[in-house]
Amino acid sequence: MRTQNGESVLARVVRIFEAFTPEESALTVSEISRRTGLHVATVSRLVAELVSYGFLTRDADRRVRIGTRLWELATRASPTLSLRNAAMPFMEGVHDVVGHHVQLGVLDGDEVLFLERLTAPGAVVNYTRIAGRLPLHASSSGLVLLAHGPADLRGRVLDGSLHRYTPDTPATATRLRAVLAEVRRQGYAYCPGYVHPDALGIAAPVRDTRGEVVAALAVIVPNEAGASSVVPVVRTAARGVSRALGARTSQVGTRVTRVMAPRSFETRRNSSLSD
């Protein structure tokens, strides 16, 4: 069914869903109307119907949220479900060690989309959220995906506008090319203060059965001395996820939770500083 201007009802529903963001998950009908460009009456009618099916829900104050039924259907059909299931045991092992943030990201368009994140009370600042996005050039996960991604993707990013979050963000084409070359050479991304001065991102590639990079496993820890000791932990975990996906990797390692005896990043860091 199409409306008088030729736009289908489905297209309008999609616009309503896309009005929500990880940062703004509850909106009024008027806010949805402004964000979608749809008339308030149209939004009100469509929202009411979507609520009746459970795809949207209303709070006590009448603000609208994404409904659990939509989450259920999306999760059930998600092509990333097997990736997340393979990654979770290894992410939990890494989280036991670092005690801050562990996250799994995939390439979506010209951004990194985060499928999962584990965190802890008092963890270092982190802008990542589940179902949230970050630019490829600034985040450790994004740099891994960009370094191993298609040449035309790198061309678009290098030719585009590169937002500078901090003085350390690789926000020029020359600097970014050098960073990407280093990521490919050393096999991981090491990003001290790229998104926030207090945070360090470390990410390693996850490969599929063809050996192609399909995701990045990353940690966000305090940007301080001794943090490089976490690099082997992240790389081992990423290889473990790759093996769980059936990837043919050149290195054989043991299960990540066996490699990582210390229970926190601080314990591991202090131990390495005392050696």
Side-chain angles (χ1 to χ4, degrees):
M1 178 180 177
R2 293 187 175 274
T3 59
Q4 290 182 345
N5 66 1
E7 184 181 40
S8 69
V9 173
L10 179 58
R12 292 186 170 197
V13 169
V14 170
R15 286 164 66 181
I16 289 174
F17 287 142
E18 290 181 340
F20 298 90
T21 68
E23 294 76 22
E24 297 172 289
S25 58
L27 301 170
T28 65
V29 167
S30 296
E31 288 170 335
I32 296 172
S33 174
R34 285 195 298 271
R35 293 185 179 202
T36 60
L38 298 173
H39 193 277
V40 172
T42 300
V43 172
S44 181
R45 174 176 54 82
L46 291 174
V47 164
E49 191 166 359
L50 290 166
V51 168
S52 72
Y53 284 105
F55 296 133
L56 295 177
T57 187
R58 289 187 186 273
D59 291 342
D61 61 0
R62 305 293 293 170
R63 293 171 71 84
V64 181
R65 294 179 182 271
I66 297 294
T68 54
R69 179 154 174 75
L70 184 62
W71 169 84
E72 176 191 2
L73 292 175
T75 301
R76 189 185 304 164
S78 173
T80 62
L81 184 59
S82 61
L83 172 60
R84 180 184 175 278
N85 287 344
M88 278 302 293
F90 297 93
M91 293 179 65
E92 290 167 354
V94 173
H95 188 252
D96 284 347
V97 174
V98 302
H100 287 272
H101 309 282
V102 185
Q103 51 206 38
L104 183 70
V106 296
L107 181 66
D108 190 58
D110 291 356
E111 298 173 303
V112 52
L113 171 66
F114 293 96
L115 306 181
E116 187 58 83
R117 186 186 77 156
L118 303 178
T119 187
V124 68
V125 62
N126 184 10
Y127 294 152
T128 302
R129 297 182 182 181
I130 296 175
R133 297 168 180 268
L134 282 176
L136 295 173
H137 75 282
S139 62
S140 57
S141 296
L143 286 167
V144 165
L145 296 169
L146 184 58
H148 296 282
D152 61 334
L153 171 64
R154 286 193 295 276
R156 286 198 307 275
V157 174
L158 287 165
D159 292 340
S161 176
L162 302 174
H163 178 69
R164 187 183 297 277
Y165 289 87
T166 74
D168 293 317
T169 306
T172 67
T174 299
R175 170 86 189 285
L176 182 55
R177 283 193 185 92
V179 170
L180 293 174
E182 182 70 2
V183 170
R184 288 189 292 269
R185 184 192 66 79
Q186 64 188 9
Y188 62 91
Y190 191 88
C191 308
Y194 282 18
V195 178
H196 190 282
D198 296 337
L200 163 67
I202 303 170
V206 173
R207 300 178 184 272
D208 65 8
T209 54
R210 297 169 297 177
E212 296 181 0
V213 174
V214 294
L217 190 148
V219 299
I220 308 298
V221 297
N223 185 18
E224 56 190 30
S228 61
S229 64
V230 179
V231 170
V233 175
V234 178
R235 299 189 71 187
T236 300
R239 288 195 296 269
V241 178
S242 299
R243 287 194 300 276
L245 291 174
R248 298 184 298 271
T249 56
S250 59
Q251 291 177 286
V252 177
T254 56
R255 184 175 175 83
V256 64
T257 51
R258 295 178 183 173
V259 173
M260 303 179 296
R263 297 295 296 177
S264 68
F265 168 68
E266 286 78 9
T267 301
R268 186 182 184 95
R269 176 176 60 82
N270 292 337
S271 175
S272 67
L273 291 177
S274 64
D275 289 344

